[in-house]
């Protein structure tokens, strides 16, 4: 869809030069695909193995093992990039894992004035400590409210899922995918995963609702979800626009260079027009003749 | 050998000059007037508490002093200090536009005070931004160029803040040169004014609207009555009358506080100036109100009006836009200055409401845990304002801001124009 445009614009921003690591590219000639993850919520058994694996892989403390954690809906936090929630639905209890959606055109990255938030060419959206100045504009902008800030720290970081960027570079799968005993989480190229999801829905049209969450929401992203119940019942935002969120401020940003060039010219002309006959020289110097 | 004596001679000239200058600066550093005034005691208290709180904030993290949360990443340090404060500082670009571009000489007496106010507002509010940044030591990143986030509205706003501060400093600098008695430099700086003004107005147009554009991507988080794709335009238009209302408000105070500084001529013209400003306020506020209605109708938000947020919206629009604009119109018609001041005050409250609504109150309006600023956040905000006033007072008491510039730097275009006219006439007569 907007992929090609996106890659082009990324190239234009010089992002390509910032990522020397091409570990994921099997064939440089082949146009690159975003990687992604397909979560089948009908398969998830709520064992939270992915949570534990995630914490381990990124050096966080073990998540709370108390089964009562399901009593309330959790969001990802500064010490947990990925959380599993339980939802009561008309099809019984359903578990859904929540984390960064790795948008195709992320609002967080468009918001970031230091490019600390970065959409990599491979798909994961990563945060880079050495760049971030902690303005938290990414948090304001992310339609899924994913980035979290360490308010308790004098040297705070932004915390959010990076799709196991380091593991990917080593050629491994994301930790949660590897840990899932129910094969509810699949890793692959985003395009393939969408095909797979569609095929799955077509195969069992009564089991699934006919929508892949994350295919179009906020312009689509690397995280894709299948579900047996409407996504609103699983705590997903269903009021988001199906456009990449950076589009929302694009018109404004396009207007900037126009104003920046036309405005001074206009002001100068106006200032000359209001000049009295005997004020040929710029205003401030005239009295120093 | 010769060179050396030459250098020695120059040094012997220079040293007393430097000494004299140093003594002058030192004497100017000393406070003028009484020290233990109630305001000074209050200021000292507020500032020292803020110093303690900021130490805590920078050693323990933002949580120790603020009520910010994962749901509300921006509190009043952004919503009030930066976003509202910058709107209030809008007077500088509007007044310089009127004086240097439209050449409405009438407003010349307030240019310096307004520009100074604007400049200090930016310095202090940008300073407040540093308190809010989680990782302020990285603040140079978007400037030094290794990480230009050019697609970010924040990037634009940050750069414009910085450039605008420079522009305003240049606009203001002749006053510094006059204070220090640097005639030659004064001349050069004066010549830069028009350029700085044009640059400054352009930057202001962009970052006043840019502050609104920051919220464009928060589309699904801001209540529909406040979110619209036209936020940038609304922010820009409202910054015009916000800035001017601030000029009126601040002017009515400084006319009293700095009475000894104001020369009588200015005193007389002040009422006229205020009336003129009120007219501009009324005009732009009508435009703003019209835009607001347009956006409202366009967005088809009728259903929202019958909710608490709808009433709150009406409070903002009717109570603090429609009523003050009516007051302004009335006051201008009957030339009632007190009414203008009231209208200006209401307008300012309306701007505070509007900016806080967009950035905090209507932001995540569906969230159960609301953000309410901690007393420490309020204290530090107060300290920022107090610090600004202290510096402002220091400058106004020393530099020619309200009083006339020294004789040698007088800018009296009206007089010059008249004399030139006479000269011209004389010439023709002579020729005849
Ligand atoms: S979900 Fe939020 S944090 Fe993740 S890529 Fe999208 S905008 Fe960024
Ligand atoms: S907090 Fe950091 S990552 Fe987020 S927008 Fe600001 S600089 Fe970028």
């Amino acid at each position: 869809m907007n992929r090609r445009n996106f890659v082009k614009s990324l190239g234009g921003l010089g992002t390509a030069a910032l990522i020397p690591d091409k570990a994921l590219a099997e064939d440089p000639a082949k146009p690159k695909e975003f990687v992604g993850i397909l979560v089948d919520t009908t398969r998830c058994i709520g064992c939270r193995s992915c949570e534990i694996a995630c914490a381990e892989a990124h050096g966080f403390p073990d998540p709370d093992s108390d089964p009562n954690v399901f009593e309330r809906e959790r969001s990802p936090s500064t010490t947990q990039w990925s959380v599993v929630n339980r939802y009561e639905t008309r099809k019984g209890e359903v578990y859904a894992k929540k984390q960064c959606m790795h948008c195709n055109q992320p609002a967080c990255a468009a918001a970031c004035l230091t490019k600390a938030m970065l959409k990599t060419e491979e798909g994961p959206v990563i945060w880079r400590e050495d760049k971030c100045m902690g303005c938290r504009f990414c948090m304001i902008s992310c339609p899924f409210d994913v980035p979290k800030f360490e308010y308790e720290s004098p040297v705070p970081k932004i915390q959010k899922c990076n799709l196991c960027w380091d593991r990917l570079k080593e050629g491994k799968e994301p930790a949660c995918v590897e840990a899932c005993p129910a094969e509810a989480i699949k890793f692959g190229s985003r395009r393939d995963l969408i095909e797979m999801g569609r095929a799955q829905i077509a195969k069992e049209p009564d089991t699934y609702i006919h929508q892949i969450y994350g295919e179009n929401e906020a312009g689509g992203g690397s995280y894709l979800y299948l579900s047996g119940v409407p996504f609103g019942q699983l705590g997903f935002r269903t009021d988001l626009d199906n456009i990449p969120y950076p589009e929302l401020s694009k018109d404004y940003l396009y207007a900037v260079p126009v104003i920046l060039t036309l405005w001074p010219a206009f002001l100068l002309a106006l200032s000359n027009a209001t000049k009295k006959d005997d004020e040929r020289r710029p205003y401030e110097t005239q009295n120093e003749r | 050998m010769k060179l050396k004596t030459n250098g020695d001679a120059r040094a012997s000239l220079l040293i007393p000059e430097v000494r004299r200058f140093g003594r002058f600066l030192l004497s100017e550093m000393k406070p003028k007037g009484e020290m233990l005034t109630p305001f000074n005691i209050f200021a000292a208290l507020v500032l020292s508490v803020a110093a303690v709180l900021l130490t805590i904030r920078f050693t323990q993290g933002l949580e120790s002093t603020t009520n910010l949360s994962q749901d509300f990443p921006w509190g009043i340090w952004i919503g009030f200090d930066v976003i509202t404060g910058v709107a209030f500082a809008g007077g500088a670009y509007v007044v310089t536009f009127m004086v240097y571009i439209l050449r409405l000489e009438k407003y010349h007496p307030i240019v310096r005070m307004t520009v100074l106010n604007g400049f200090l507002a930016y310095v202090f509010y940008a300073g407040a931004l540093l308190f809010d940044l989680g990782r302020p030591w990285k603040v140079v990143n978007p400037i030094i160029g290794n990480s230009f986030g050019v697609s970010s509205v924040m990037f634009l706003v940050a750069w414009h803040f910085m450039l605008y501060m420079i522009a305003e400093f240049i606009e203001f600098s002749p006053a510094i040169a006059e204070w220090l008695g640097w005639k030659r430099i004064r001349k050069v700086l004066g010549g830069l004014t028009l350029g700085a003004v044009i640059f400054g107005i352009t930057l202001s147009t962009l970052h006043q609207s840019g502050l609104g554009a920051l919220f464009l991507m928060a589309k699904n988080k801001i209540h529909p009555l406040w979110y619209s794709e036209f936020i940038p335009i609304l922010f820009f238009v409202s910054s015009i009358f916000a800035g001017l209302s601030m000029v009126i408000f601040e002017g009515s105070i400084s006319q009293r506080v700095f009475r000894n500084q104001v020369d009588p001529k200015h005193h007389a013209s002040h009422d006229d100036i205020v009336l003129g400003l009120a007219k501009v306020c009324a005009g732009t506020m009508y435009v703003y109100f019209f835009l607001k209605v347009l956006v409202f109708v366009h967005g088809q938000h009728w259903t929202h009006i019958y909710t608490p947020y709808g009433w709150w919206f009406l409070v903002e629009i009717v109570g603090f836009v429609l009523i003050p604009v009516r007051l302004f119109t009335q006051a201008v018609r009957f030339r009632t200055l007190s009414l203008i001041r009231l209208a200006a005050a209401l307008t300012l409250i309306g701007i505070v409401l509007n900016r806080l609504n967009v950035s905090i109150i209507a932001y995540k309006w569906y969230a159960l845990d609301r953000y309410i600023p901690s007393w420490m956040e309020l204290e530090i905000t107060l300290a920022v304002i107090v610090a600004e006033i202290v510096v402002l007072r220091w400058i106004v008491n020393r530099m020619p801001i309200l009083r006339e510039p020294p004789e040698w730097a007088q800018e009296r275009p009206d007089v010059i124009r008249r004399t030139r006219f006479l000269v011209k006439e004389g010439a023709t007569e002579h020729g005849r």
Side-chain angles (χ1 to χ4, degrees):
Chain A
M1 273 180 320
N2 291 322
R3 263 288 313 269
R4 190 165 316 163
N5 276 342
F6 172 59
V7 171
K8 228 193 287 169
S9 62
L10 266 190
L13 293 175
T15 319
L18 289 172
I19 314 164
D21 208 314
K22 297 270 197 274
L24 292 178
E26 302 99 40
D27 175 3
K30 188 176 132 217
K32 210 168 263 173
E33 296 273 337
F34 284 160
V35 295
I37 282 180
L38 178 66
V39 181
D40 187 340
T41 56
T42 65
R43 286 177 158 231
C44 177
I45 53 173
C47 68
R48 298 174 66 211
S49 307
C50 54
E51 270 185 29
I52 297 161
C54 175
E56 225 162 70
H58 304 107
F60 291 120
D62 272 348
D64 190 351
S65 55
D66 187 344
N68 282 334
V69 290
F70 285 133
E71 291 308 316
R72 54 178 195 91
E73 189 180 9
R74 296 173 297 159
S75 347
S77 69
T78 48
T79 51
Q80 261 196 289
W81 285 354
S82 167
V83 295
V84 181
N85 282 322
R86 184 173 69 200
Y87 297 92
E88 298 297 336
T89 71
R90 70 183 154 75
K91 289 199 179 170
E93 286 175 351
V94 177
Y95 298 93
K97 162 186 190 312
K98 299 288 171 71
Q99 71 300 303
C100 171
M101 299 293 286
H102 296 279
C103 305
N104 290 344
Q105 294 189 47
C108 61
C112 185
L113 74 170
T114 61
K115 285 212 191 134
M117 281 290 180
L118 182 77
K119 177 76 177 172
T120 59
E121 270 183 90
E122 290 77 8
V125 177
I126 60 168
W127 175 81
R128 299 178 294 173
E129 182 169 5
D130 55 326
K131 306 265 180 199
C132 175
M133 59 189 236
C135 68
R136 310 189 291 288
F137 188 31
C138 49
M139 300 170 72
I140 296 280
S141 303
C142 167
F144 301 98
D145 277 320
V146 167
K148 303 292 176 208
F149 181 80
E150 294 177 342
Y151 289 103
E152 68 290 346
S153 162
V155 197
K157 294 179 190 165
I158 293 279
Q159 296 287 2
K160 74 164 203 65
C161 161
N162 66 2
L163 229 148
C164 285
W165 176 238
D166 297 324
R167 288 173 58 96
L168 294 189
K169 282 192 289 187
E170 289 164 16
K172 292 193 227 155
E173 292 197 329
C176 53
V177 176
E178 206 177 71
C180 182
E183 284 184 31
I185 324 177
K186 288 196 189 71
F187 177 77
S189 91
R190 182 174 186 266
R191 193 190 301 262
D192 293 348
L193 291 174
I194 290 176
E195 288 303 319
M196 226 190 262
R198 291 216 182 106
Q200 188 74 11
I201 294 172
K203 205 166 82 193
E204 298 172 48
D206 298 331
T207 314
Y208 296 99
I209 62 156
H210 296 199
Q211 179 193 0
I212 302 176
Y213 193 92
E215 186 183 357
N216 300 314
E217 282 70 16
S222 283
Y223 251 93
L224 303 158
Y225 286 87
L226 294 178
S227 166
V229 294
F231 282 100
Q233 293 180 29
L234 298 184
F236 286 94
R237 283 200 83 144
T238 50
D239 58 342
L240 299 182
D241 292 17
N242 285 345
I243 51 154
Y245 269 46
E247 295 283 339
L248 292 170
S249 51
K250 208 174 240 168
D251 283 348
Y252 175 78
L253 287 167
Y254 279 164
V256 169
V258 179
I259 294 179
L260 212 50
T261 44
L262 292 188
W263 217 202
F266 168 73
L267 291 171
L268 199 61
L270 194 60
S271 146
N272 276 325
T274 57
K275 218 175 247 182
K276 308 284 183 315
D277 277 352
D278 53 351
E279 295 178 44
R280 285 279 168 254
R281 295 173 56 197
Y283 179 77
E284 277 281 339
T285 53
Q286 49 150 334
N287 53 342
E288 275 139 18
R289 269 171 282 193
Chain B
M1 189 61 209
K2 200 179 170 215
L3 256 175
K4 198 172 173 218
T5 39
N6 212 343
D8 281 352
R10 210 173 286 162
S12 63
L13 268 179
L14 209 60
I15 288 166
E17 193 44 37
V18 168
R19 273 216 198 108
R20 194 195 61 79
F21 184 65
R23 265 200 302 277
F24 168 70
L25 269 190
L26 264 181
S27 76
E28 288 286 80
M29 283 301 161
K30 284 198 200 105
K32 293 194 172 170
E34 225 196 308
M35 268 297 268
L36 287 176
T37 60
F39 174 78
N40 284 356
I41 296 171
F42 170 74
L45 220 77
V46 170
L47 292 178
S48 27
V49 172
V52 175
L53 292 180
L54 284 174
T55 317
I56 299 176
R57 177 256 169 273
F58 281 110
T59 47
Q60 322 266 308
L62 278 163
E63 197 180 62
S64 58
T65 38
T66 71
N67 279 349
L68 297 173
S69 64
Q70 304 297 353
D71 267 342
F72 289 91
W74 287 355
I76 56 160
W77 286 355
I78 300 287
F80 181 78
D81 298 19
V82 179
I83 294 178
T84 312
V86 166
F88 283 170
Y93 82 89
V94 184
V95 171
T96 52
F97 175 74
M98 287 161 52
V99 171
Y100 293 103
I101 306 295
L102 298 181
R103 289 168 209 272
L104 304 171
E105 273 309 319
K106 182 169 118 187
Y107 300 99
H108 213 131
I110 58 166
V111 164
R112 278 209 177 153
M113 189 60 174
T114 311
V115 168
L116 172 63
N117 251 316
F119 173 67
L120 290 182
Y122 275 85
V123 169
F124 282 89
Y125 301 142
L129 194 63
L130 288 183
F131 304 154
D132 190 78
L133 283 187
R135 308 163 58 83
W137 56 94
K138 294 282 183 192
V139 72
V140 290
N141 269 358
I143 297 163
I144 53 176
N146 67 348
S147 19
F148 276 179
V150 283
S151 62
S152 167
V153 179
M154 186 66 103
F155 179 78
L156 179 115
V157 170
W159 264 90
H160 282 199
F161 271 16
M162 199 179 60
L163 294 176
Y164 187 59
M165 272 194 257
I166 297 174
E168 290 221 297
F169 185 73
I170 293 174
E171 286 170 29
F172 176 70
S173 57
I176 303 178
E178 286 165 17
W179 171 56
L180 298 173
W182 292 347
K183 302 193 182 176
R184 196 111 42 85
I185 293 176
R186 162 70 183 78
K187 212 177 242 178
V188 176
L189 292 175
L192 295 176
T193 301
L194 185 64
V197 163
I198 288 179
F199 192 46
I201 297 171
T202 307
L203 292 173
S204 290
T205 313
L206 287 173
H207 71 241
Q208 292 286 0
S209 52
L211 285 176
L214 287 178
F215 295 96
L216 287 175
M217 281 197 283
K219 181 169 184 191
N220 304 88
K221 302 190 198 176
I222 296 175
H223 192 285
L225 283 174
W226 282 276
Y227 182 89
S228 105
E229 61 205 285
F230 301 109
I231 297 184
I233 295 174
L234 292 171
F235 266 48
F236 170 64
V237 174
S238 54
S239 76
I240 298 176
F241 59 80
L244 290 184
S245 293
M246 195 64 193
V247 173
I248 295 174
F249 182 75
E250 169 275 316
S252 70
I253 296 174
S254 58
Q255 286 286 314
R256 252 165 264 169
V257 176
F258 298 114
R259 189 177 286 278
N260 58 332
Q261 290 279 337
V262 185
D263 68 302
K265 239 185 309 129
H266 178 183
H267 234 328
S269 68
H270 188 73
D271 294 356
D272 235 22
I273 292 176
V274 169
L275 276 171
L277 295 179
K279 254 184 245 169
V280 183
C281 275
T284 41
M285 276 176 97
Y286 275 123
V287 172
Y288 177 72
F289 182 74
F290 178 70
L291 285 175
K292 270 280 197 189
V293 173
L294 219 64
V295 167
F296 175 76
V297 175
H298 177 81
Q300 296 174 324
H301 296 318
W302 297 107
T303 47
H304 293 293
I305 281 297
Y306 305 107
T307 64
Y309 271 97
W311 303 328
W312 184 234
F313 179 75
L314 289 179
V315 167
E316 181 195 316
I317 290 306
V318 176
F320 295 98
V321 181
L322 204 53
I323 291 182
V325 75
R326 290 294 309 151
L327 290 183
F328 270 131
T329 340
Q330 286 291 319
V332 168
R333 185 171 306 153
F334 300 111
R335 302 180 65 92
T336 358
L337 288 176
S338 52
L339 205 56
I340 291 184
R341 284 189 201 117
L342 176 68
L346 287 182
T347 306
L348 291 178
I349 298 175
I351 291 295
V352 175
L353 281 187
N354 175 257
R355 298 304 197 261
L356 289 187
N357 276 337
V358 171
S359 61
I360 295 171
I361 300 171
Y363 179 82
K364 296 248 180 89
W365 52 291
Y366 45 80
L368 295 176
D369 291 327
R370 306 299 311 174
Y371 158 83
I372 295 165
S374 70
W375 69 268
M376 294 176 272
E377 284 175 273
L378 294 170
E379 213 289 326
I380 288 171
T381 297
L382 185 65
V384 172
I385 298 171
V386 166
E388 193 202 334
I389 294 177
V390 169
V391 174
L392 182 81
R393 190 181 57 174
W394 188 89
I395 295 178
V396 171
N397 277 331
R398 281 159 187 80
M399 301 183 195
I401 308 296
L402 288 168
R403 65 166 182 266
E404 295 267 296
E407 204 61 50
W408 56 267
Q410 288 278 346
E411 298 166 32
R412 297 292 301 281
D414 47 343
V415 172
I416 289 163
R417 209 173 298 138
R418 204 161 312 128
T419 47
R420 299 207 67 214
F421 176 71
L422 287 176
V423 167
K424 237 188 266 166
E425 219 168 40
T428 23
E429 228 156 72
H430 187 82
R432 212 196 287 155

